Amino acid sequence: MNPLIFREYDIRGIVNVDLTNEDVRKIGQAYGTFAKRRGAKKVALGRDGRNSGPGFEPIVADGIRSTGVSVIRLGMVPTPVMYHYTKTGNVDGGLQITGSHNPPNYNGFKGMVGDETLHGELIQELLRIIQENDFEHGAGNEEFIEPIPSYLDDLAGKLKISRSCRIVVDAGNGVGGMTAVPL
């Protein structure tokens, strides 16, 4: 596995070069191991709209579940929805499959366990777990939910617009339009 994809704030690489299906499963196993060792029993998993996402999502989920951590699959959601669900859902962390602002041939991961986002040494810990083949083992469960309605309800309840205004949303790129337009 290319260690250079384990960056300061995320894991990012080129699909089928740095991120093969085997690599993606190991990242899921490393995240599940990391989470389990910090007391996590259940985590959320989301993905953005990249073409590689639908294939990667079940592989990552399988890697996480192989450590004994259960997975709540959110499907295709904007990253803030995954973060929101980690705060409002009955989970101990979350992982988002996302290429962020990178070109379409990239993908990657952002995550958190408890209230702590994975960055710096914590991301390097995932790499160490993979390099040392130091995975936890178990059999986690899997569940699918639709988190966007509760996310929108929560945001709408917090918005206060004191005057009439026009709002323009460019929903043509990414999955942000899934929430921005209905909100």
Side-chain angles (χ1 to χ4, degrees):
M1 180 165 308
N2 180 356
L4 299 178
I5 68 173
F6 291 80
R7 302 174 352 173
E8 184 67 20
Y9 293 101
D10 55 25
I11 300 168
R12 291 273 182 266
I14 299 172
V15 174
N16 295 324
V17 175
D18 301 313
L19 292 173
T20 64
N21 288 346
E22 180 182 342
D23 295 328
V24 167
R25 187 174 195 286
K26 286 181 181 178
I27 290 168
Q29 287 178 280
Y31 173 77
T33 296
F34 180 90
K36 185 175 185 176
R37 290 177 181 164
R38 282 159 180 77
K41 297 188 182 329
K42 188 187 313 181
V43 297
L45 175 64
R47 65 174 169 83
D48 69 13
R50 291 178 178 260
N51 290 338
S52 56
F56 283 174
E57 184 181 358
I59 295 168
V60 174
D62 183 60
I64 295 169
R65 288 185 300 104
S66 76
T67 67
V69 175
S70 293
V71 177
I72 303 291
R73 287 182 48 186
L74 309 177
M76 185 169 67
V77 295
T79 301
V81 172
M82 185 279 295
Y83 284 129
H84 180 267
Y85 191 77
T86 65
K87 298 293 186 185
T88 62
N90 184 24
V91 293
D92 306 305
L95 189 66
Q96 179 80 359
I97 304 165
T98 177
S100 191
H101 61 278
N102 289 289
N105 59 328
Y106 279 75
N107 213 331
F109 304 88
K110 290 183 177 187
M112 64 185 303
V113 174
D115 290 331
E116 191 168 30
T117 58
L118 302 183
H119 68 282
E121 286 303 313
L122 301 179
I123 287 181
Q124 294 306 308
E125 176 67 12
L126 297 180
L127 176 60
R128 185 199 64 74
I129 290 168
I130 293 168
Q131 289 174 330
E132 295 177 7
N133 200 34
D134 183 26
F135 302 115
E136 294 286 329
H137 299 282
N141 296 316
E142 184 172 79
E143 183 181 342
F144 297 82
I145 66 136
E146 171 50 66
I148 291 178
S150 64
Y151 174 76
L152 291 174
D153 288 346
D154 192 23
L155 284 182
K158 293 175 181 175
L159 287 175
K160 304 291 184 241
I161 300 174
S162 61
R163 61 181 175 82
S164 177
C165 61
R166 292 180 191 207
I167 299 173
V168 177
V169 176
D170 178 0
N173 296 305
V175 296
M178 294 174 69
T179 56
V181 173
L183 182 63

